[in-house]
């Protein structure tokens, strides 16, 4: 027996509005971070060097962050965006673990971004709730 997942239907529940707010917050944070990487590369140079990345990667990283934000903001590609945001945040967590910065603020920020991505998507998208029923 095959079970089809229905397309999302508009809903004005408090949960979906809160999910949209979480998602909007995530997109704003990602766009801000991506823009800093693109236009203020000197500002991120010390952090890039401290983590072992060449400062010349600031612009490509900024572009990746902006692509993640755009994919997450578009409803039809939001799941792909959430996967990419989670992967990006996971890479940041691994970088700080490698530097022996367990529990550092950048690690917690990365965890927060992942929670925002999936929490917002879960609350605003019926299809995600159908795939991951929390009981």
């Amino acid at each position: 027996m095959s079970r089809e997942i229905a397309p999302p239907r508009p809903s004005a529940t408090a949960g979906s509005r809160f999910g949209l707010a979480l998602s909007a917050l995530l997109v704003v944070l990602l766009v801000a971070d991506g823009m800093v990487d693109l236009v203020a590369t000197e500002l991120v140079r010390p952090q890039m060097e401290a983590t072992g990345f060449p400062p010349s990667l600031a612009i490509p990283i900024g572009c990746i962050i902006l692509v993640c934000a755009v994919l997450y903001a578009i409803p039809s590609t939001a799941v792909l965006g959430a996967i990419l945001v989670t992967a990006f945040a996971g890479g940041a967590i691994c970088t700080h673990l490698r530097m022996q910065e367990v529990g550092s603020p950048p690690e917690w920020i990365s965890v927060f971004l992942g929670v925002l991505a999936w929490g917002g998507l879960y609350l605003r998208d019926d299809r995600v709730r159908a795939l991951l029923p929390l009981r």
Side-chain angles (χ1 to χ4, degrees), residues 7-73:
R9 62 181 193 278
S11 171
T13 66
S16 66
R17 284 191 303 266
F18 187 61
L20 284 171
L22 291 178
S23 296
L25 175 61
L26 175 68
V27 170
V28 167
L29 292 172
L30 291 175
V31 168
D33 188 25
M35 291 306 293
V36 167
D37 287 347
L38 289 179
V39 299
T41 54
E42 289 304 313
L43 190 64
V44 296
R45 177 180 294 275
Q47 292 84 8
M48 296 287 288
E49 290 172 344
T51 56
F53 289 99
S56 62
L57 288 180
I59 291 175
I61 289 172
C63 290
I64 291 169
I65 294 169
L66 291 175
V67 167
C68 290
V70 168
L71 288 172
Y72 185 77

Side-chain angles (χ1 to χ4, degrees), residues 28-128:
V28 167
L29 292 172
L30 291 175
V31 168
D33 188 25
M35 291 306 293
V36 167
D37 287 347
L38 289 179
V39 299
T41 54
E42 289 304 313
L43 190 64
V44 296
R45 177 180 294 275
Q47 292 84 8
M48 296 287 288
E49 290 172 344
T51 56
F53 289 99
S56 62
L57 288 180
I59 291 175
I61 289 172
C63 290
I64 291 169
I65 294 169
L66 291 175
V67 167
C68 290
V70 168
L71 288 172
Y72 185 77
I74 300 170
S76 61
T77 59
V79 171
L80 174 60
I83 291 168
L84 294 176
V85 167
T86 306
F88 194 83
I93 291 169
C94 285
T95 297
H96 289 280
L97 284 174
R98 180 184 56 80
M99 296 172 56
Q100 298 178 352
E101 293 180 352
V102 178
S104 67
E107 280 186 322
W108 285 110
I109 291 168
S110 297
V111 169
F112 177 68
L113 292 176
V115 169
L116 274 181
W118 286 103
L121 193 57
Y122 185 86
L123 290 172
R124 72 181 167 111
D125 193 326
D126 293 336
R127 296 172 299 171
V128 174

